[in-house]
């Protein structure tokens, strides 16, 4: 909501020295989100005056039409002589009043004006458009043409109200009253302790039998409908400059007088209105639910198929408007076309000021993807008592500005209802805030908001019609607290109960984060929302369990309606984004939840708010939620070790991704199995399958390695990018987090090397497992230190694997025979299981 300070001052007598920044601070303290203060005309410098076009000479021989004009600017130029100006616009004629900026002036944006030669003529100034003056769109797309009665030589800065301050307020969903100058003025008056001149306090005639006939068939959807009629509007009447400028300052474009007046009153009072061309309305106006399949062409020219829940305005033909959203094209106000002698111009209008159900309007606007200024207000709550005043204000302005006549008939259809009351203990705000305000302060603040308050220890509060968000004692307490100042609330640190700290899961999570950070990875936190298309990009099979997703009913983005089943989509997007911005050496990690739907869908029950939920309540809620295991994932690209004087450096490869998995497993105290695998986005020849033993059975908990070139191309990732993902919850379950002290022996180690030749397809992990088992308990460690392939020496399809075996006993020094015997046993088992032979 944009609020011009000059308009705000009409209803609140702010001190003359108060600036927009001062008002911003006051309103922020009162709880409104004033995002910015725009200084209109801050860099504008005159002379900027009204001129009258005396002559126009068309210049020939140029690529675009150019006109050489003489303009009377009175004595503003110091001589009284006509000002010679070159201009390319075509929307003005001889005799028109225009805005002229003279040499020596500065326009918004720091554009200095001086006499200069152009198109073979000397231009002494410029004839201005609204864009050049920073006024916004006025619909003309050309030069500003002023009313004929405007005085030549008059200061245009003052005439067009070019200097002002505009507060831009982000209105929250519960404060629909602040989507109007009236509502913001009320908050400003409270903040400054000044009286409010309420623009809605008007003398309004009561309903009578002479008003335009209206029938409301759905009082739940429309509990109030006011109709007024104005006849005899002048077709030539135009919105005055002050009205156009106020609309431009709040971000609206002037259209025509009747439409501008309804928009002006809406911005002023917060009550959306609609004007119908009386001659286009056939029969009585009705309010009802649409019939399934009915159609309407709205003011934006789009034909819309209606839903049975849509609330519509009708006449004898059918729907003529979407209630609270947008009117229909059939009854649109027609503007006067000067070239057609007033033909088709609207002279008689019916003014609608109604109050529609918030939920109905919100659903209709979303269903038809049609958000409007009216729907924004109805969705957030409109003062139903303001409808009659808004209609009267509209009638008054049309009579004043267009020479119309207000008909005596007044239609007002009102559904029975009573003001909303809330019972609250007088000390309830004290308990909520932890501050002693006292009854007098509580009553005073509620009365400032507009409430009627009765009672002593227990207050009976009647909520004002413009605050539908005040529904319970906590809402009233919040009003007292915000007006007394959030900054005045004491800061009290909570006292945690003794003996409680981080859970084992939290400690593991932190240890893994520190370990990966120490290994050179940077944590990246990503949104948990994904598109189902990403599973195709990752190359997952059609029946892959990861494709079963939990979909959101109301997603933040229609392009990402599902919750992630893997951390990789978000991390790979972060990798691509950073690589595209020039960071090519990347190592990122993330730990977070993934979401897996349960086989049987359940609906969660609403938990009680007046007491702590029972264990059964929480268990039922958890049973209705999807499974949410915690995963850890890393992605790498570019250099893993930088080049420098110390060496050539090294690019990241699949082994780094596998080592990240080992780092995580060590922190979890789990024994991780690593073998050749093939899955989804990973390269089939450079993918490791990661396993652990759970209850005696081997279980795959993740994969690591280099990504498939096809996936890299589809996602736009750097060449040879690598990734790893693990199920942390399973690692935690099988791991032993008790710190293990290293075993230190006083006896020397015996080292034996062995080189085995196996078929090329035999995994090195299988050979290592056989050697480890065959060597027995004397084996302390085993390390693969060489892989050699040479068809001439080893044979086609064969490879040599060289291992270093370390043997040690805890109670003695091993002899050469003992170490050799353990080595031979290891080789024998490897030969038996994998067909390995000693390399000769």
């Amino acid at each position: 909501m944009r609020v011009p300070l000059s308009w705000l001052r009409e209803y609140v007598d702010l001190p003359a020295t108060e600036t927009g920044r001062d008002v911003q601070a006051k309103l922020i303290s009162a709880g409104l989100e004033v995002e910015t203060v725009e200084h209109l005309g801050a860099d504008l410098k005159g002379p900027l005056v009204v001129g009258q076009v005396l002559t126009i000479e068309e210049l020939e021989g140029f690529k675009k039409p150019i006109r050489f004009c003489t303009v009377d600017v009175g004595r503003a130029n110091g001589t009284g002589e006509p000002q010679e100006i070159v201009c390319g616009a075509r929307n003005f004629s001889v005799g028109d009043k225009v805005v002229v900026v003279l040499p020596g002036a500065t326009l918004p944006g720091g554009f200095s004006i001086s006499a200069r030669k152009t198109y073979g003529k000397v231009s002494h100034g410029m004839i201005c458009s609204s864009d050049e003056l920073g006024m916004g769109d006025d619909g003309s797309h050309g030069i500003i043409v002023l009313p004929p009665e405007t005085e030549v030589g008059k200061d245009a800065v003052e005439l067009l109200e070019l200097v002002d301050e505009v507060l831009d307020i982000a209105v929250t969903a519960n404060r629909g009253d602040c989507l109007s100058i009236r509502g913001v003025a009320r908050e400003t008056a409270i903040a400054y302790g000044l009286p409010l001149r309420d623009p809605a306090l008007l003398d309004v005639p009561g309903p009578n039998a002479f008003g335009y006939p209206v029938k409301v068939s759905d009082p739940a959807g429309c509990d109030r409908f006011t109709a007024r009629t104005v006849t005899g509007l002048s077709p030539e009447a135009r919105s005055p400059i002050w009205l156009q400028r106020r609309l431009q300052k709040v971000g609206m474009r002037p259209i025509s007088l009747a439409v501008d007046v309804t928009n002006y009153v809406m911005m002023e009072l917060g009550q959306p209105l609609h004007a119908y061309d009386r001659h286009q309305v056939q029969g009585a106006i009705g309010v009802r639910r649409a019939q399934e399949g009915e159609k309407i062409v709205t003011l934006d020219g789009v034909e819309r198929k209606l839903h049975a829940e849509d609330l519509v305005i009708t006449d004898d033909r059918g729907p003529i408007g979407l209630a609270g959203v947008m009117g229909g094209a059939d009854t649109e106000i027609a503007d006067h076309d000067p070239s057609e002698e007033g033909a088709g111009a609207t002279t008689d209008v019916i003014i609608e000021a109604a109050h529609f159900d918030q939920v109905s309007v919100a659903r209709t606007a979303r269903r038809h993807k049609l958000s409007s200024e009216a729907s924004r207000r109805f969705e957030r709550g409109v003062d139903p008592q303001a409808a009659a005043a808004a209609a009267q204000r509209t009638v008054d302005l049309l009579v004043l500005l267009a020479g119309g006549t207000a008909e005596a008939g007044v239609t007002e259809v009102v559904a029975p209802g009573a003001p909303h009351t809330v019972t609250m203990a007088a000390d309830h705000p004290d308990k909520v805030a932890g501050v002693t305000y006292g009854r007098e302060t509580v009553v005073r603040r509620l009365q400032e908001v507009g409430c009627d308050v009765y009672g002593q220890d227990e207050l009976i509060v009647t909520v004002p019609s413009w605050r539908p968000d005040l529904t319970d004692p906590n809402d009233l307490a919040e009003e007292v607290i915000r007006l007394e100042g959030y900054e005045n609330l004491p800061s009290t640190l909570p006292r945690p109960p003794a003996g409680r700290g981080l859970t084992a899961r939290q400690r593991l999570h932190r240890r893994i984060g520190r370990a990966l950070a120490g290994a050179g990875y940077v944590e990246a936190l990503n949104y948990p929302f994904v598109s189902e298309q990403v599973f195709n990009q990752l190359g997952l099979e059609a029946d892959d369990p990861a494709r079963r997703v939990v979909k959101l009913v109301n997603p933040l983005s229609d392009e990402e309606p599902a919750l992630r089943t893997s951390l990789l989509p978000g991390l790979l997007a972060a990798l691509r984004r950073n690589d595209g911005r020039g960071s090519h050496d990347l190592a990122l990690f993330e730990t977070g939840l993934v979401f897996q739907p349960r086989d049987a869908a359940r609906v969660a029950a609403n938990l009680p708010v007046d007491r702590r939920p029972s264990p059964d309540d929480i268990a039922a809620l958890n049973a209705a939620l999807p499974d949410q295991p915690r995963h850890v994932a890393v992605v790498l690209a570019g250099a893993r070790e930088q080049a420098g004087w110390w060496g050539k450096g090294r690019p990241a490869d699949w082994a780094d991704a596998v080592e990240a998995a080992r780092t995580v497993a060590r922190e979890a105290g789990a024994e991780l199995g690593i073998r050749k695998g093939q899955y989804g986005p990973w390269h089939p020849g450079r993918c490791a399958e990661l396993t652990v033993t759970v209850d005696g059975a081997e279980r795959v908990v993740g994969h690591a390695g280099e990504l498939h070139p096809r996936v890299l191309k589809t996602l736009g990732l750097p060449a040879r990018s690598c990734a790893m993902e693990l199920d942390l919850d399973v690692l935690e379950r099988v791991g032993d987090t008790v710190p293990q002290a290293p075993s230190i022996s006083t006896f020397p180690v015996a080292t034996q090397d062995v080189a085995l030749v196996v078929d090329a397809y035999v995994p090195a992990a299988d050979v290592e497992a056989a050697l480890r088992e065959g060597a027995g308990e004397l084996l302390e460690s085993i390390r693969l230190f060489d892989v050699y392939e040479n068809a001439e020496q080893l044979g086609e399809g064969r490879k040599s694997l060289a291992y270093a075996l370390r043997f040690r006993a805890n109670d003695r020094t091993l002899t050469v025979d003992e170490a050799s015997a353990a080595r031979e046993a290891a080789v024998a088992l490897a030969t038996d299981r994998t067909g390995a032979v000693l390399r000769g």
Side-chain angles (χ1 to χ4, degrees):
M1 176 66 191
R2 290 170 56 85
V3 180
L5 192 59
S6 59
W7 198 349
L8 194 63
R9 289 182 182 274
E10 280 200 9
Y11 309 127
V12 184
D13 288 328
L14 294 172
T17 56
E18 287 294 285
T19 66
R21 295 290 185 190
D22 298 328
V23 177
Q24 178 189 30
K26 285 282 189 179
L27 292 180
I28 289 176
S29 179
L32 295 186
E33 298 180 21
V34 186
E35 295 186 328
T36 60
V37 178
E38 183 179 352
H39 297 269
L40 301 181
D43 51 356
L44 177 65
K45 177 185 174 183
L48 189 72
V49 299
V50 176
Q52 184 172 23
V53 180
L54 300 178
T55 65
I56 298 177
E57 177 188 350
E58 301 288 345
L59 301 182
E60 304 293 338
F62 300 102
K63 293 182 179 179
K64 61 179 181 178
I66 298 297
R67 312 168 95 185
F68 181 64
C69 310
T70 60
V71 185
D72 178 14
V73 295
R75 302 292 301 177
N77 57 5
T79 65
E81 295 295 324
Q83 202 78 2
E84 296 179 337
I85 299 175
V86 175
C87 183
R90 314 289 298 175
N91 68 313
F92 65 94
S93 307
V94 172
D96 283 345
K97 302 290 181 63
V98 294
V99 178
V100 178
V101 57
L102 299 177
T106 303
L107 293 182
F111 183 59
S112 298
I113 302 299
S114 60
R116 64 189 183 95
K117 188 173 182 178
T118 179
Y119 297 104
K121 301 285 186 179
V122 177
S123 182
H124 298 273
M126 187 167 74
I127 303 175
C128 297
S129 68
S130 59
D131 286 339
E132 290 163 341
L133 297 179
M135 295 169 56
D137 184 10
D138 64 354
S140 68
H141 305 294
I143 294 303
I144 301 170
V145 178
L146 300 171
E149 63 273 13
T150 310
E151 179 186 350
V152 172
K154 183 178 179 63
D155 184 2
V157 175
E158 179 183 349
L159 175 69
L160 300 177
E161 302 177 14
L162 296 179
V163 178
D164 202 351
E165 292 181 277
V166 179
L167 285 70
D168 193 351
I169 303 176
V171 179
T172 54
N174 65 315
R175 293 303 304 272
D177 60 305
C178 288
L179 283 173
S180 67
I181 303 297
R182 179 196 184 201
V184 177
R186 183 182 295 109
E187 291 295 318
T188 305
I190 295 172
Y192 278 90
L194 296 172
L196 169 70
R197 288 189 293 274
D198 192 341
L201 295 180
L202 301 174
D203 291 330
V204 180
N208 54 52
F210 308 108
Y212 199 89
V214 174
K215 181 180 179 182
V216 177
S217 302
D218 190 339
C222 175
D223 58 7
R224 184 178 294 266
F225 194 108
T226 300
R228 301 288 299 275
T229 304
V230 181
T231 60
L233 300 180
S234 171
E236 289 80 16
R238 292 291 176 266
S239 301
I241 293 174
W242 64 265
L243 193 150
Q244 294 187 44
R245 287 297 295 133
R246 286 194 170 178
L247 289 178
Q248 288 174 328
K249 289 177 185 179
V250 298
M252 302 191 76
R253 179 173 65 86
I255 299 173
S256 65
L257 178 59
V259 176
D260 291 349
V261 167
T262 58
N263 286 337
Y264 177 84
V265 175
M266 176 180 66
M267 303 307 297
E268 182 181 53
L269 302 182
Q271 168 67 53
L273 302 109
H274 190 70
Y276 301 94
D277 187 327
R278 182 176 181 177
H279 298 296
Q280 302 299 325
V281 178
Q282 299 180 12
I285 291 177
V287 183
R288 61 169 171 83
R289 297 290 171 175
Q291 298 174 8
E292 191 69 38
E294 277 188 307
K295 295 182 179 179
I296 183 176
V297 178
T298 46
L299 288 174
D300 57 358
V302 177
E303 183 180 76
R304 303 181 186 277
K305 186 176 181 180
L306 300 179
H307 188 275
E309 290 185 5
D310 291 334
L311 192 67
V312 293
I313 311 298
T314 65
D315 65 2
D316 290 348
R317 295 166 298 177
I320 59 173
L322 281 174
V325 181
M326 185 174 286
D330 290 343
T331 57
E332 181 179 7
I333 297 294
D335 198 9
H336 167 60
D337 186 346
S339 65
E340 298 184 8
E341 300 296 329
T346 298
T347 57
D348 301 340
V349 298
I350 301 171
I351 305 300
E352 166 207 304
H355 184 261
F356 301 111
D357 177 62
Q358 293 179 240
V359 175
S360 176
V361 172
R363 288 178 176 173
T364 297
R366 282 158 178 74
R367 189 179 297 119
H368 295 284
K369 294 181 173 58
L370 185 62
S371 179
S372 64
E373 291 290 344
S375 67
R376 285 184 63 217
R377 284 160 176 79
F378 280 121
E379 288 172 11
R380 290 161 174 79
V382 169
D383 181 4
Q385 302 293 335
Q392 182 63 45
R393 177 73 164 139
T394 304
V395 168
D396 292 342
L397 286 172
L398 288 176
V399 170
L400 174 67
L401 302 176
T405 301
E407 289 195 351
V410 177
T411 303
E412 192 164 359
V413 180
V414 182
H420 180 64
T421 60
V422 179
T423 301
M424 179 186 73
D427 62 348
H428 182 66
D430 301 3
K431 294 178 180 179
V432 173
V435 176
T436 303
Y437 293 122
R439 179 187 177 281
E440 290 185 2
T441 299
V442 171
V443 171
R444 174 172 57 84
R445 287 303 190 183
L446 292 178
Q447 288 176 338
E448 288 177 346
V449 171
C451 299
D452 292 329
V453 186
Y454 303 94
Q456 293 298 319
D457 294 338
E458 186 174 74
L459 303 179
I460 300 175
V461 182
T462 301
V463 175
S465 59
W466 57 81
R467 290 300 302 275
D469 59 306
L470 304 181
T471 60
D472 57 57
N474 285 331
D475 293 329
L476 300 178
E478 183 180 3
E479 291 299 297
V480 175
I481 295 169
R482 75 176 181 88
L483 294 179
E484 285 294 306
Y486 290 123
E487 67 276 8
N488 296 323
L489 294 177
S491 298
T492 306
L493 293 176
R495 294 183 179 181
R500 295 185 184 179
L502 299 176
T503 64
R505 189 186 195 201
Q506 290 170 329
R507 289 195 296 270
L508 174 62
H509 180 207
R510 292 193 178 189
R511 284 204 312 274
I512 288 172
R514 285 194 293 266
L516 290 175
Y521 291 86
V522 176
E523 186 171 16
L525 301 177
N526 300 291
Y527 287 117
F529 312 115
V530 296
S531 166
E532 291 181 88
Q533 181 63 30
V534 75
F535 301 125
N536 297 329
Q537 297 171 336
L538 292 177
L540 300 186
E541 298 292 337
D543 58 348
D544 194 298
R547 285 183 175 270
R548 294 185 62 238
V549 295
V550 178
K551 289 188 177 180
L552 300 175
V553 175
N554 189 21
L556 293 179
S557 169
D558 291 337
E559 296 179 357
E560 296 180 330
L563 292 173
R564 66 189 179 190
T565 56
S566 166
L567 300 182
L568 288 183
L571 271 180
L572 293 176
L575 183 73
R576 179 180 62 247
R577 186 164 53 250
N578 282 275
D579 180 72
R581 295 176 180 177
S583 298
H584 303 301
D585 302 327
L586 296 161
L588 308 177
F589 84 93
E590 182 178 11
T591 57
L593 302 179
V594 298
F595 305 86
Q596 300 166 350
R598 298 181 187 270
D599 294 332
R602 301 182 184 180
V603 178
N606 292 327
L607 295 181
V609 296
D610 58 342
R611 58 180 172 81
R612 178 183 176 84
S614 68
D616 291 340
D617 292 334
I618 297 176
L621 177 63
N622 288 332
L625 296 176
D627 288 328
Q628 301 176 52
R630 184 177 294 275
H631 281 202
V632 59
V634 305
V635 293
L636 304 102
R640 185 66 176 136
E641 295 177 4
Q642 296 292 333
W645 57 267
W646 52 85
K648 297 181 179 180
R650 180 179 66 82
D653 60 18
W654 63 270
D656 294 301
V658 174
E659 182 58 30
R662 289 195 180 101
T663 300
V664 172
R666 281 195 297 269
E667 293 298 326
E671 185 174 346
L672 192 67
I674 300 172
R675 65 188 182 202
K676 182 180 179 180
Q678 181 174 346
Y679 177 70
W682 280 277
H683 192 296
R686 302 182 185 120
C687 173
E689 192 173 72
L690 310 174
T691 65
V692 295
T693 301
V694 182
D695 299 329
E698 191 175 61
R699 176 172 170 180
V700 177
V701 292
H703 295 82
E706 184 179 316
L707 295 175
H708 198 289
R710 183 171 57 249
V711 173
L712 300 180
K713 182 179 180 180
T714 302
L715 294 178
L717 299 172
R720 309 301 291 269
S721 295
C722 302
M724 177 278 293
E725 184 166 13
L726 272 174
D727 189 329
L728 263 185
D729 284 358
V730 177
L731 286 183
E732 181 185 7
R733 180 146 53 109
V734 302
D736 181 6
T737 57
V738 178
Q740 300 292 328
S743 176
I744 300 175
S745 175
T746 58
F747 298 99
V749 65
T751 302
Q752 296 273 353
D753 293 344
V754 58
L756 301 175
V757 179
V758 296
D759 290 332
Y761 63 82
V762 175
D766 291 352
V767 178
E768 180 179 325
L771 290 172
R772 188 183 298 277
E773 183 178 343
E777 60 182 12
L778 293 180
L779 181 66
E780 182 179 77
S781 68
I782 181 172
R783 179 174 61 87
L784 175 67
F785 66 86
D786 184 56
V787 178
Y788 178 69
E789 294 182 6
N790 188 309
E792 294 182 1
Q793 297 184 15
L794 304 177
E796 191 68 33
R798 304 279 281 174
K799 64 181 177 183
S800 171
L801 304 176
Y803 293 89
L805 288 71
R806 291 166 58 90
F807 299 96
R808 196 195 308 261
N810 293 327
D811 56 351
R812 68 188 186 279
T813 299
L814 293 178
T815 64
V816 174
D817 292 340
E818 288 178 308
S820 298
R823 172 181 177 275
E824 290 171 2
V827 171
L829 188 58
T831 300
D832 182 57
R833 286 189 178 177
T834 65
V837 296
L838 281 171
R839 182 179 171 187

